[in-house]
Amino acid sequence: MASRARVRAPELVGAGGWLNTGGKDLSLADFRGRILVLDFWTFCCINCLHVLDELRELEERHRDTVVIVGVHSPKFVHEADHQAVVDAVARYEVHHPVLDDPALATWKQYAVRAWPTLVVIDPEGYVVAQHAGEGHAHAIARLVAELEAEHEAKGTLRRGDGPYVAPEPSTDDLKFPGKAVRLPNGHFLVADSGHHSLVELAEDGETVVRRIGDGQRGLVDGTSPRFSEPQGLALLPGNGDYDVVVADTVNHALRGVRLADGSVTTLAGTGRQWWQGSATEGPAREVDLSSPWDVAWFDGRVWIAMAGVHQLWAYDPATGTVGVAAGTTNEGLVDGPAAEAWFAQPSGLAVSADGGTLWVADSETSALRSVSRETDGGTTVRTAVGTGLFDFGHRDGAADQALLQHPLGVTVLPDGSVAVSDTYNHALRRYDPASGEVTTLATDLREPSGAVLVDGDIVVVESARHRLTRLRLPEEAVRVESVAHRTQRAATEVAPGTLRLDVVFEAPSGQKLDERYGPSTRLLVSATPPELLVSGAGADTDLSRELVLSDRVAEGVLHVSAMAASCDDDPEIEFPACHVHQQDWGVPVKLVADGVRRLPLVLAGLE
């Protein structure tokens, strides 16, 4: 068995305390004899949610030897609220202990640089591996098997039940609902995300008329369907075979619903998550999708807020095809032609009354964006509100100065303005394209995720209150004290001039980088502002690169995207299994004369 580095694991510290432990506080000593996997996550992060799903099988298969501990490490101010973490743990069905670390104390002790990051600690309390991003579950499973054998032989493995204690189950009719639409009969159809189903409510927004789905996770069509955390809904025009299209988020699929009998058909997606290198267009049932979060009928197609890959896609019912409509998969805020624009977890869509503009809630940049057709036939992306990945808050006024905090929904109002479900500010905001002003319509809404117009009122989906709330659209804005925030994640101090960027990647045990069919690694680097990088931007296959940073820029963000594909290293295997490991880093940097000249980022391995 290969030798491993042995680094003593720091203690687990979090001011918010422990969840899912029945009220018991834990320390590293409580995990001695078990294989411990720390999952550094934050609930705004779509990649973190993907990893939660990746870990479910490992968690179940090795329940007597492995303990997964989620270390919740917030990006947004709202995510540092303990009750919000409690809600998120319930919302995403996290079935392991979670340490609430609002001040990032444990994050700093483990030198974590990215959401999500996984750290493996052996039964004797030593760190033996670190992985950033997605696609590492197979590598960790292989390492777990090795650690089980090694420590069983040494007598240092302790089997038995873990410290997880399940919370009390929910009894509400709705559980963390996502979005809603108003049906032609005046009822509401709600994506009941936490119950993995759709619910039709009467006009009062409370009385349950029927439920579509049996409440169990699954990808099942027909009159006894199953969903997995559905979010977005859109009514479709015409007289097709289905009336509503559903963004079935964790199934990575679009589903069609026929209201007459509640039958469901899968329209697009395979049930598998899209990875770099997968097809980006083709027959809809043959192309992988990635966490579709919302849908809208725009420009003759169903447009999809594809949160998992920071893009907008479109599904054409007439041809049965799906493909990329806007975005590059790079995470950030860049306007321009659709094919060159950058998004960051787009999560809400709405179409203007004239059908010419698609409004987008771009959650991770806390931005309101738009997509519109130009007279030359092209499609352009513009930003109305928002400045980037790390600036957010609650500030009204001129749009170029206004701030949102992780909005998830948009609704077009009768006067052409746009209501924004400003989720992490617990508010409903309004952007007026005519005046360029942002105001606040309502506050004290618990994580609003969408809204529907009803006879001059607006019905808000209060996701964390598990209900629909009907409000009068106010004639005057609510006065709110202005606040601005930047993520509390510390900037890395780097020196101007040459900076060595090293992405650390070690292939999992029993695998290797397989380059029989070309390069198996990819590194893409850019910066905000672009002037930060004098040279070194662009894509290449080497995971190390020499960057040159400007001495005229005080601070910025380095955007680094890395991918590595590893395959079974056994010549006897005719068709080796291959796995993709990938991560995007947004690294805030501050340029100082005595700053570091090397920036290591761990994709897999130990630095």
Side-chain angles (χ1 to χ4, degrees):
M1 186 175 297
S3 61
R4 302 186 190 90
R6 288 168 62 84
V7 178
R8 177 64 71 181
E11 188 53 84
L12 304 178
V13 179
W18 288 86
L19 305 176
N20 284 353
T21 64
K24 180 181 178 181
D25 290 337
L26 303 176
S27 69
L28 274 177
D30 293 303
F31 304 105
R32 190 62 58 87
R34 310 296 291 275
I35 300 164
L36 179 61
V37 180
L38 302 182
D39 176 16
F40 289 86
W41 70 299
T42 187
F43 63 79
C44 73
C45 163
I46 192 66
N47 311 93
C48 299
L49 303 186
H50 291 166
V51 167
L52 283 176
D53 289 322
E54 288 180 10
L55 292 176
R56 292 186 198 279
E57 182 180 353
L58 176 76
E59 192 168 30
E60 185 59 37
R61 181 174 295 180
H62 298 273
R63 187 166 293 280
D64 67 332
T65 59
V66 173
V67 177
I68 296 173
V69 168
V71 182
H72 189 268
S73 313
K75 171 186 173 181
F76 290 99
V77 168
H78 170 59
E79 293 174 306
D81 175 9
H82 181 70
Q83 184 57 49
V85 180
V86 172
D87 289 342
V89 168
R91 179 193 296 268
Y92 298 116
E93 298 181 0
V94 179
H95 293 164
H96 51 248
V98 173
L99 174 64
D100 181 11
D101 182 20
L104 301 182
T106 297
W107 164 289
K108 294 170 185 174
Q109 286 296 309
Y110 281 81
V112 175
R113 290 183 178 272
W115 297 279
T117 291
L118 299 170
V119 175
V120 182
I121 300 172
D122 73 12
E124 295 179 280
Y126 290 93
V127 174
V128 293
Q130 181 172 326
H131 303 266
E134 303 178 51
H136 302 293
H138 73 285
I140 293 176
R142 190 183 294 261
L143 176 58
V144 163
E146 292 182 359
L147 290 171
E148 285 177 340
E150 176 184 340
H151 288 274
E152 190 89 79
K154 291 174 65 176
T156 50
L157 184 69
R158 176 170 57 89
R159 295 180 181 269
D161 293 334
Y164 170 69
V165 177
E168 291 295 320
S170 167
T171 59
D172 295 317
D173 288 332
L174 300 178
K175 182 181 179 184
F176 300 109
K179 301 183 189 297
V181 292
R182 196 181 188 203
L183 301 177
N185 64 0
H187 292 181
F188 298 94
L189 189 66
V190 183
D192 191 10
S193 308
H195 287 137
H196 312 295
S197 60
L198 310 180
V199 175
E200 183 177 343
L201 300 179
E203 292 183 68
D204 62 7
E206 297 179 2
T207 304
V208 175
V209 176
R210 63 171 166 170
R211 185 174 293 274
I212 301 173
D214 66 4
Q216 299 297 312
R217 286 184 188 268
L219 181 55
V220 178
D221 287 342
T223 54
S224 299
R226 286 185 171 178
F227 301 87
S228 187
E229 297 182 34
Q231 291 287 342
L233 305 167
L235 292 172
L236 296 180
N239 298 307
D241 294 333
Y242 46 90
D243 310 288
V244 177
V245 64
V246 182
D248 194 8
T249 305
V250 179
N251 275 328
H252 309 295
L254 294 191
R255 317 289 294 281
V257 178
R258 186 167 60 210
L259 293 173
D261 61 0
S263 65
V264 173
T265 302
T266 299
L267 306 177
T270 63
R272 298 185 301 271
Q273 183 186 338
W274 187 95
W275 290 94
Q276 289 287 350
S278 302
T280 56
E281 62 180 357
R285 292 289 301 270
E286 300 175 15
V287 177
D288 299 339
L289 308 183
S290 183
S291 297
W293 209 274
D294 201 8
V295 281
W297 181 260
F298 174 64
D299 200 27
R301 296 179 293 172
V302 176
W303 282 57
I304 310 163
M306 200 73 78
V309 286
H310 316 299
Q311 290 179 308
L312 304 180
W313 287 41
Y315 164 68
D316 188 341
T319 61
T321 57
V322 69
V324 176
T328 64
T329 76
N330 294 322
E331 183 180 13
L333 193 151
V334 176
D335 290 341
E340 301 172 12
W342 292 21
F343 295 91
Q345 223 169 290
S347 302
L349 302 175
V351 181
S352 62
D354 63 6
T357 300
L358 179 69
W359 293 101
V360 182
D362 200 30
S363 62
E364 278 294 287
T365 53
S366 298
L368 174 64
R369 319 280 296 277
S370 69
V371 178
S372 56
R373 286 284 185 195
E374 305 301 323
T375 55
D376 62 2
T379 306
T380 301
V381 176
R382 297 180 176 86
T383 298
V385 183
T387 60
L389 285 166
F390 300 112
D391 295 295
F392 52 90
H394 191 145
R395 180 193 289 156
D396 290 331
D400 61 353
Q401 299 294 317
L403 293 172
L404 309 169
Q405 187 180 181
H406 198 80
L408 290 179
V410 281
T411 307
V412 175
L413 301 178
D415 63 358
S417 63
V418 182
V420 180
S421 295
D422 194 6
T423 309
Y424 287 4
N425 279 327
H426 308 300
L428 190 68
R429 312 287 293 283
R430 175 179 178 266
Y431 167 68
D432 183 0
S435 67
E437 293 286 314
V438 174
T439 53
T440 297
L441 296 176
T443 58
D444 192 31
L445 298 167
R446 189 70 183 174
E447 293 191 12
S449 55
V452 182
L453 283 176
V454 179
D455 303 327
D457 293 344
I458 192 163
V459 175
V460 181
V461 181
E462 283 197 86
S463 189
R465 282 199 177 113
H466 318 293
R467 71 186 189 191
L468 304 189
T469 300
R470 187 162 180 159
L471 305 172
R472 288 282 181 186
L473 282 173
E475 295 181 5
E476 295 184 2
V478 177
R479 289 187 176 272
V480 177
E481 183 179 352
S482 177
V483 291
H485 302 289
R486 282 183 66 83
T487 179
Q488 62 176 317
R489 177 182 168 190
T492 300
E493 293 189 345
V494 297
T498 301
L499 176 70
R500 181 72 180 180
L501 172 65
D502 291 318
V503 173
V504 178
F505 178 77
E506 298 173 10
S509 175
Q511 295 197 337
K512 67 176 181 179
L513 291 175
D514 189 343
E515 300 188 344
R516 290 175 296 175
Y517 307 106
S520 58
T521 56
R522 176 177 180 267
L523 178 64
L524 176 66
V525 181
S526 61
T528 302
E531 300 79 40
L532 173 63
L533 272 179
V534 176
S535 65
D540 203 345
T541 58
D542 194 338
L543 291 180
S544 295
R545 187 178 304 179
E546 187 174 278
L547 311 179
V548 177
L549 305 182
S550 173
D551 59 2
R552 299 183 178 182
V553 178
E555 60 182 6
V557 178
L558 287 174
H559 303 280
V560 180
S561 179
M563 184 275 290
S566 61
C567 302
D568 290 337
D569 185 15
D570 185 343
E572 299 300 318
I573 300 177
E574 183 178 1
F575 300 105
C578 295
H579 302 272
V580 177
H581 316 254
Q582 65 182 43
Q583 171 63 2
D584 296 332
W585 291 268
V587 183
V589 295
K590 180 182 293 185
L591 278 75
V592 296
D594 58 349
V596 300
R597 295 192 174 275
R598 177 176 177 265
L599 178 62
L601 300 174
V602 176
L603 179 59
L606 289 175
E607 166 62 10

